[in-house]
Amino acid sequence: MGVIRKTLGTILIGTLGGTSYLTSSTNLTTPLPADDELWSAKSYATFNRHKNPTIQDVAWKRVPLAHVRPELRNNEKALATEFCRGAWSGYAYAPQRLIMMLSNRGPRTRDQLFRQRQLAFSEYELGTRFSDHFEVVERTGNSVTVRGGGSPLDSGPRELDGLIVVSAKIDKETDTAEVGIKSAFFNSLEPAAEGQKPANIVAEVLHRLYSRAMVDSGIRRLTR
């Protein structure tokens, strides 16, 4: 929790000036629909085994395919991978990326990704670990699901656990691509009291601004 609060505080300083831009240029849906794919995902059932309350949302945006790089317009997997690269290697994650690299890189984490260039060219295959805080735990044809909230070296339950789904879909009927970053955070350590979320409202609001910034950052990698 301490690392997350520190990171959110750092990000707040860097992104508050762009709040108006982010809220006008990206969309946010919360809570997630009851039939959202995340609720039936294997990773969600595995990690939120207590079925605890969640902080849940998805930041998303539609982009005209004409604005997307030609080699990505007909390949959802490539589009999702490139969007994921842009989100994690771009400006929004830069403060956290630096904090994590300075505090977590060492002999025990030598097989993980820390540098901007590594994140910019990773394939984000199942099992990919980065920043000693994230691990790819599920991969589909158009999405990458990352577990966060603690070091992947410790795969056990966490007081603040979470899944982040980075996705991209191509809609030929409207000639658009829809990209999004969906999040669900929960306590996986023990059963929570009814209605008790894993973080306070301030952290929740900051997270949503951060998600919008990550979407904006990811899109910049897709466009011409």
Side-chain angles (χ1 to χ4, degrees), residues 54-67:
T54 61
I55 293 174
Q56 52 180 277
D57 54 63
V58 56
W60 57 279
K61 184 172 183 175
R62 288 193 183 97
V63 185
L65 283 177
H67 295 174

Side-chain angles (χ1 to χ4, degrees), residues 6-211:
K6 182 190 295 184
T7 301
L8 286 172
T10 304
I11 292 162
L12 175 62
I13 294 172
T15 59
L16 269 181
T19 299
S20 179
Y21 163 73
L22 291 172
T23 55
S24 63
S25 64
T26 59
N27 305 289
L28 184 79
T29 301
T30 184
L32 299 177
D35 60 350
D36 191 272
E37 295 174 352
L38 178 59
W39 308 136
S40 59
K42 180 181 178 180
S43 54
Y44 182 76
T46 298
F47 296 113
N48 193 11
R49 65 189 189 285
H50 298 300
K51 299 181 179 179
N52 279 335
T54 61
I55 293 174
Q56 52 180 277
D57 54 63
V58 56
W60 57 279
K61 184 172 183 175
R62 288 193 183 97
V63 185
L65 283 177
H67 295 174
V68 174
R69 287 159 40 198
E71 69 272 21
L72 302 174
R73 294 175 187 170
N74 297 297
N75 189 330
E76 285 191 338
K77 183 175 182 179
L79 186 67
T81 300
E82 201 68 5
F83 178 57
C84 196
R85 290 169 173 167
W88 295 112
S89 70
Y91 78 87
Y93 185 59
Q96 186 174 1
R97 186 171 62 240
L98 178 60
I99 290 171
M100 296 297 188
M101 183 171 68
L102 293 176
S103 61
N104 296 340
R105 191 171 59 168
R108 295 179 69 242
T109 58
R110 62 166 56 100
D111 64 334
Q112 297 190 31
L113 311 180
F114 284 94
R115 295 189 177 278
Q116 187 269 346
R117 182 173 178 80
Q118 291 176 311
L119 295 169
F121 292 97
S122 174
E123 294 295 331
Y124 293 94
E125 297 292 354
L126 193 66
T128 300
R129 296 175 172 182
F130 55 101
S131 300
D132 198 34
H133 200 72
F134 300 101
E135 180 177 8
V136 178
V137 294
E138 197 167 346
R139 181 77 203 242
T140 71
N142 62 9
S143 70
V144 178
T145 300
V146 176
R147 185 190 185 196
S151 172
L153 298 177
D154 180 4
S155 60
R158 302 162 182 170
E159 183 181 359
L160 179 59
D161 209 333
L163 295 171
I164 301 168
V165 184
V166 183
S167 65
K169 296 180 181 179
I170 297 170
D171 188 338
K172 288 294 188 179
E173 290 188 4
T174 60
D175 284 325
T176 60
E178 181 176 311
V179 295
I181 296 180
K182 184 185 304 176
S183 304
F185 294 99
F186 45 85
N187 180 348
S188 64
L189 187 62
E190 58 190 359
E194 185 175 353
Q196 182 180 359
K197 293 184 177 182
N200 61 38
I201 187 63
V202 175
E204 196 169 341
V205 170
L206 293 180
H207 155 71
R208 288 172 182 160
L209 178 60
Y210 189 16
S211 294

